[in-house]
Amino acid sequence: MEPDTTSEPSVAGRLLGGEGVVALKYQPIMDFDSSQIIACEALLRAQLDGEDLAPPDVIASALASGRIRDLGRLVMETACRAAATWQTHGDIALMVNLDATELTDQQLHVDVAASLGRSGFPAELLSIEITETALISESAVATGNLQQLRAFGVGVALDDFGTGFASLSHLRTMPITAVKLDQLFIAGVTEPGLDFEIVRGVVRLAHALGLQTIAEGVENERQRVALEGLGCDAWQGYLRAPALSEEDFRRELDDQRHNDLTRRPTTLVPEVEQTIDTFVLRRITSRRWAHLGGTGRGIGWAGIVEIDEAETPAITDALTAGFVRFTPPEVRWIFGAYHTAEAVLVRVDADTVVVFGAPNRERLPERGDTVWREWAEAAAAEVGSVSPAKRLADELELSEALQSLVSNPSGTLDEAMRHVVDGITGSLSCEFGLIYLRTGNRVVYNDASLAQPGSDALIDALDGLLDSMTGPLCAQDATTVPLPAAIARRGGIRSWLAIPLSGEFDGIVICAHTDRQPRGFTMLCQRLGSRLADAADIVLATGLERERLHAHADAASQMARFDCMTGVCNRRGWEAAFDELAPDDTFSVIIVDANDLKLINDTDGHAAGDDVILLISQILSQLSRATDVVARLGGDEFGMLLPGATADAAALVERRLVETFDLERAIHPRLSVSYGVATRALDESANEVIARADRLMYESKRSLKQASAPRRP
């Protein structure tokens, strides 16, 4: 844009000439991990003739009059001088906005370096904010300025990300260090939908590229909690504070430093940290609480437990009384997934409760109420919020469990059911688990010692539980909501989780903790269980399909071994039967061949020939034992394999065969057979035995032909 050459002074010119007031305000930027102010954004404010001016109008005037560089240098100098005075409060970073045209000024990096030098403000704590518009031109001067600034240690934040037209490739090619999420998307992040998915996608993409993410325009707690859950690094907005004057912002830093010093956990002695389970619970909605962390078993559950005040009376009691001590005679449920023999609950403030529990069935040390309160305050001060790293670890745990479950080599539905119940109970660290499919009343337990016999009572109990559910059911205290007795062989169930299966299979997965490991189910475990149960449908469907394919393959294999006309084995089945014999097995072979079958076919037709073939196969089948094999080896040739049959046993079968064919010949005169019998000799192979029986059969056929041939006179 060309400078305005009219004689009348511009708004920017008058402001820079000292007629009005040019000032900066600073909006706090909060860290999700520590809930502390870690930075601020410098925002332009101006007055002229006693009236407030809109910052965009001031910038537009500076652009039109050619004074944008002067205005930019003034803002940078003022912000750096103010921020330099705050460093006694820690490393408080500063973010300053630049207009797109400033990036094309060859002296930009020189001006910024000069402001840093004069103010003494560290370059690594300064970030400039640029919009996507500044990246579109891809000016060599702009790129050079950004590279020079990064060489100084100055960060580069992409402002209002997603509202402009920059390519995603700029995130990879330009020296950007942070992405600021526009409030346009933050407004809808609390509900499932497009805004939520956009924010989640941008956060994941930024983290994959090593960039920090900052959410702008956070106006309520629901938005803050949603952003924290998505792993955003920092946030700013009216929920914490509007843009503040330099004095007010310094006062906020003073208060933060004072609170940090007074709440530092100086009284939490090492002995307590090592021997007591500590849980810091913080209210996230009117009736729900999140576990942020602690010591002992309170370390691993950070950020994965949500507690409903209505289902945990102990929290309500602590909020009312301020201090509650439970000393039950045995292990009991205190909240969420936590079971212990003794517990102390302390209200730190209206939104914070700290729980101290005795691990491993031990007792809490004897301490006065004052000491417990000091320890509670110290524990609460230690934990600000759940880190993105913890959330990432939770997501990785879920991903690995899903991958393990769907990597299923099971060949049958029963094997798939076993894989599912073992996978889910293993992922949830449960001692007891079962899966039930209503179709076929199939039940598989992860531990046979806990299995109930497949009785009508078991099926009725499972059907009743399944019919009563509309979604997952978690009983954190099994003494209050017991698992039906017909389902578990032994008692001692402390908590249980039932999840209905979705998709093709009508069924349920049940997991439980027992007295061996008395505890409940964290929200991560419940969510993990539900996701695994959803994936189980794929595993079960795959197992069922493989079972069907194996059955079809077995049937096809069987069919391939049998003669379709007679129903006895064919040559493939005959050879397979010999393959199943041991090398030293004794056996006998009988080869039977129909005589004159061609003559019968030629004179009486092929139907008559087929009748002869069928009659021979029926006679041989009737003479065989269950272990014997009868096979049709060719058109008119049959074989009998007699496993374990000695020569005497084979001779007995031969006599019965002759008698039977003689009787049948009285009814079917054209029926005539030749046969040969051989019993395996020492070191003789199966092929040699078959060949010997075959030779004997042909000798019998020749003898029969010679006997029936007419004699010459």
Side-chain angles (χ1 to χ4, degrees), residues 130-145:
I130 58 175
T131 62
E132 294 183 34
T133 306
L135 300 180
I136 296 176
S137 65
E138 297 186 351
S139 161
V141 175
T143 302
N145 272 321

Side-chain angles (χ1 to χ4, degrees), residues 109-181:
H109 65 277
V110 177
D111 292 342
V112 173
S115 294
L116 290 170
R118 286 189 292 267
S119 65
F121 185 66
E124 61 272 13
L125 294 180
L126 173 65
S127 291
I128 62 167
E129 293 191 26
I130 58 175
T131 62
E132 294 183 34
T133 306
L135 300 180
I136 296 176
S137 65
E138 297 186 351
S139 161
V141 175
T143 302
N145 272 321
L146 292 177
Q147 291 173 343
Q148 286 285 353
L149 291 171
R150 286 298 299 125
F152 296 159
V154 176
V156 179
L158 188 56
D159 198 12
D160 302 333
F161 184 72
T163 61
F165 303 97
S167 167
L168 288 177
S169 65
H170 288 112
L171 296 179
R172 180 170 56 86
T173 59
M174 302 298 280
I176 296 168
T177 57
V179 171
K180 299 194 76 173
L181 297 163

Side-chain angles (χ1 to χ4, degrees), residues 488-523:
R489 179 182 291 274
R490 296 201 305 264
I493 300 295
R494 301 300 307 185
S495 60
W496 55 277
L497 174 66
I499 310 168
L501 297 174
S502 59
E504 176 183 352
F505 297 91
D506 182 19
I508 188 174
V509 175
I510 301 175
C511 302
H513 292 296
T514 67
D515 284 337
R516 283 181 281 173
Q517 294 188 31
R519 56 180 172 178
F521 292 88
T522 67
M523 286 300 294

Side-chain angles (χ1 to χ4, degrees), residues 307-331:
I307 307 102
D308 192 327
E309 183 180 328
E311 70 178 13
T312 309
I315 294 180
T316 303
D317 293 343
L319 288 172
T320 302
F323 181 92
V324 179
R325 181 163 188 153
F326 294 99
T327 56
E330 59 182 9
V331 174

Side-chain angles (χ1 to χ4, degrees), residues 548-562 570 572:
R548 290 169 178 167
L549 290 174
H550 288 163
H552 290 323
D554 291 343
S557 177
Q558 287 296 104
M559 291 177 63
R561 295 184 180 188
F562 288 87
N570 56 19
R572 177 179 294 180

Side-chain angles (χ1 to χ4, degrees), residues 389-403:
K390 176 57 186 172
R391 288 192 184 83
L392 178 60
D394 294 345
E395 290 297 326
L396 288 175
E397 181 179 350
L398 172 60
S399 175
E400 290 173 357
L402 286 170
Q403 183 177 1

Side-chain angles (χ1 to χ4, degrees), residues 11 17 85 87 166 367 478 550:
V11 169
T85 66
Q87 297 315 299
R367 298 290 188 272
H550 288 163

